[in-house]
Amino acid sequence: MPDLILLDLMMPEMDGFELVAALQANTAWRAIPVVVVTALDLTAEDRQRLNGGVEHILSKHAFPPAELLARVGALLGETRKAQK
């Protein structure tokens, strides 16, 4: 099991919304933290579709790449601490 899933909502075969729904449908996968990193401007409906299945939503445009990586690293560290 992964410690964390870093997810872009725009994928070629299955979009991120479908993946989050599939994770939530499987009881063994529900506990995996999901962090969405997206360039999309999410609507209220988009956020509602992700509600409950995502720990954080980070906008690619809101942070310079180095800060985005630092935030993701910090979230991964938090997840690993919580699992101990």
Side-chain angles (χ1 to χ4, degrees), residues 20-42:
V20 169
L23 291 170
Q24 291 303 300
N26 185 318
T27 56
W29 298 341
R30 283 186 196 150
I32 302 170
V34 177
V35 175
V36 170
V37 180
T38 186
L40 295 175
D41 289 327
L42 298 178

Side-chain angles (χ1 to χ4, degrees), residues 1-69:
M1 291 288 239
D3 291 332
L4 177 119
I5 294 175
L6 188 60
L7 177 64
D8 191 333
L9 296 177
M10 299 184 301
M11 298 185 303
E13 297 293 321
M14 171 191 278
D15 72 23
F17 295 101
E18 291 172 293
L19 179 62
V20 169
L23 291 170
Q24 291 303 300
N26 185 318
T27 56
W29 298 341
R30 283 186 196 150
I32 302 170
V34 177
V35 175
V36 170
V37 180
T38 186
L40 295 175
D41 289 327
L42 298 178
T43 65
E45 181 181 327
D46 292 336
R47 290 180 181 277
Q48 186 175 26
R49 287 175 64 193
L50 295 171
N51 191 25
V54 173
E55 294 286 321
H56 298 281
I57 300 172
L58 301 176
S59 172
K60 290 181 183 177
H61 300 299
F63 309 103
E67 185 177 345
L68 184 60
L69 287 174

